[in-house]
Amino acid sequence: LAPWVPVVGLEIHAQISSNSKLFSGSQVQFAAPPNSLVSFFDASLPGTLPVLNRRCVEAAVMTGLALNCSINKKSLFDRKHYFYADLPAGYQITQQRVPIAVNGSLSYSLCIDNKMSQMVTKTVRIKQIQLEQDSGKSLHDDTRSQTLVDLNRAGVGLMEVVMEPDMCCGEEAAAAVRELQLILQTLGSSQAVMAEGQLRVDANVSVHHPGEPYGVRTEVKNINSIRFLAKAVDYEIQRQIEELENGGTILNETRAFDSKLGCTVPMRDKEGKQDYRFMPEPNLPPLILYDAKSLPANMNHQQVINIDWIHERLPDLPSVKREKLVEQYGILPEHSFTLLNEDGLAEFFESVVKHTQMKPKKVIGWVLNDLLSYLKQHSLTVKESPVSSFLLADLLNLLEKKEISSTAAKQVLAELWKGEGKTPLEIVKEQKLELLQDQKELEQICQAVIDGQENE
Amino acid sequence: QKVSVEVLDHLEHLALVDFRDLEGVERLQKAIQFADQLHEVNTDGVEPMDSVLEDRCLYLREDDVTEGNCTKELMENAREKVEEYFVAPPGNIPLPKLEERETFLPGS
């Protein structure tokens, strides 16, 4: 049988972290009383107009720069028309013709064969980033055959990041999204928490034989976690391969991922190709951005966005942070990868190193093997750890000063997990775990043991 | 060149307009012919203008919360509501196919 080449592209919607919405002054907040964060514009009442939020533009520029994009100094807004109860205007304001950023790239790491020690770097091209409005939320009440609509989310700013189909499987898609998530969180442009709908991913999947043209692609939606993303993509690839090998065809359709069944199913309301009737948004002039060279002399500062100013103030991206950790502490690349992969773990590690005489290369073992595995076992985040960085540092100091053995240290750690407020030293004294250093005392013990043996 | 039945049906589905009768379709036809006159202008090398606002400055608003919190007023517009949620049908109700709906367009 001829081999199949799967092709995976991603469309990612990241909610912009801002106080107010993209085109109106209503608040952005998760879980508020229904329809309490809705302005007249968000409800699409006649006579209202969009007014662009400066912070949302800055967030998109930061993200574009972090993803190595060209920032379009002139970008345009368009209307994308479709009917749905949670889209009161009947159209979404987006950037279809000329988005704010184009032609970037994202590098991410993968473990070969699940071995942390063999990591490979891959790159996915970023086609574009566009600013657009989020829709409201529909709650389906099947028993009463109705939909309940909450417009709190309607109009919240989104950055749509389009990744070219450079990925080939669920693992790559998941790793790319994870890296994007870390970048967005580092920039602060989005909190990117998938569980709260701040990061939504749609996957475009197709398969073909090498050398032949790309196959028909399907769009997979309703993916609620990075783990499910990998599953959904891999399932869809398999489904398409099986369908084609059985002589069937792939429909260009939209499918939803069913996490309970672990499969994709056709989505209702998405039958037939949509015609969005794109048109320029008549109420918004072009968005003009400046750089140091083109900065206008006589304009109000508040009305000017300077791309170079934003570039200079970008924080260290995860890839840079990882390199710095390796350089500064002499740890391995896979160690720094894990440190950054867990929220707060890098800061925890650095705090321990600061407060202990033990070398970072030895500390990392305790943090990654003992601390992290315990947290994982009990589904705790670093912030929820009953053992603080100071407590661990104290313990490691005892070990470093040879006051206790390595085995004893593990025993003390096990006791510390109970979170009873005892210090490592107190536990050592309680359980008599001190290493004997006194030569005479050691001789006495050995002699006693030998004497005991002789008597038998 | 006449507008085909397929296009008319497509438009009725997309925009939920009802051309209602021959006069409605003829008006559409005349509107298209009128707009087609634009093709007679040579626009080689000219950037299209899509808004008379193109030279205006796009105003940027500060990221402050200044609106919202008017649930009661908004709900006054709702024919039906359930605990401050708007009520809508379970899904989009598509326009019936040409053969199945009452329209003067040929094919129904």
Side-chain angles (χ1 to χ4, degrees), chain A residues 22-58:
Chain A
L22 182 58
F23 292 116
S24 68
S26 38
Q27 193 181 3
V28 176
Q29 197 187 74
F30 186 67
N35 292 305
S36 62
L37 307 176
V38 185
S39 68
F40 288 179
F41 171 77
D42 304 330
S44 192
L45 299 188
T48 55
L49 292 170
V51 186
L52 183 56
N53 180 341
R54 190 200 156 87
R55 157 67 188 163
C56 293
V57 181
E58 288 170 344

Side-chain angles (χ1 to χ4, degrees), chain B residues 29-100:
Chain B
Q29 205 77 77
K30 289 209 174 84
I32 296 172
Q33 272 171 258
F34 181 76
D36 276 346
Q37 292 177 99
L38 290 171
H39 290 306
E40 304 200 13
V41 181
N42 186 346
T43 56
D44 289 344
V46 181
E47 269 296 302
M49 171 196 265
D50 43 58
S51 168
V52 293
L53 299 175
E54 66 178 16
D55 289 330
R56 294 277 207 103
C57 218
L58 175 53
Y59 178 75
L60 296 172
R61 181 175 57 83
E62 278 303 308
D63 186 24
D64 298 319
V65 175
T66 56
E67 303 176 275
N69 230 332
C70 50
T71 318
K72 197 148 156 261
E73 277 169 288
L74 290 174
M75 283 326 196
E76 279 170 31
N77 281 330
R79 191 185 69 174
E80 250 189 276
K81 66 170 177 146
V82 169
E83 287 173 32
E84 313 318 301
Y85 285 93
F86 293 104
V87 179
N92 280 1
I93 302 168
L95 204 62
K97 291 204 179 80
L98 198 53
E99 316 87 71
E100 292 155 21

Side-chain angles (χ1 to χ4, degrees), chain A residues 76-97:
Chain A
L76 306 170
F77 290 101
D78 303 291
R79 290 184 182 181
K80 177 179 179 181
H81 299 82
Y82 62 93
F83 288 118
Y84 209 64
D86 58 26
L87 196 71
Y91 61 85
Q92 174 200 40
I93 301 178
T94 177
Q95 293 187 301
Q96 190 250 355
R97 287 167 297 156

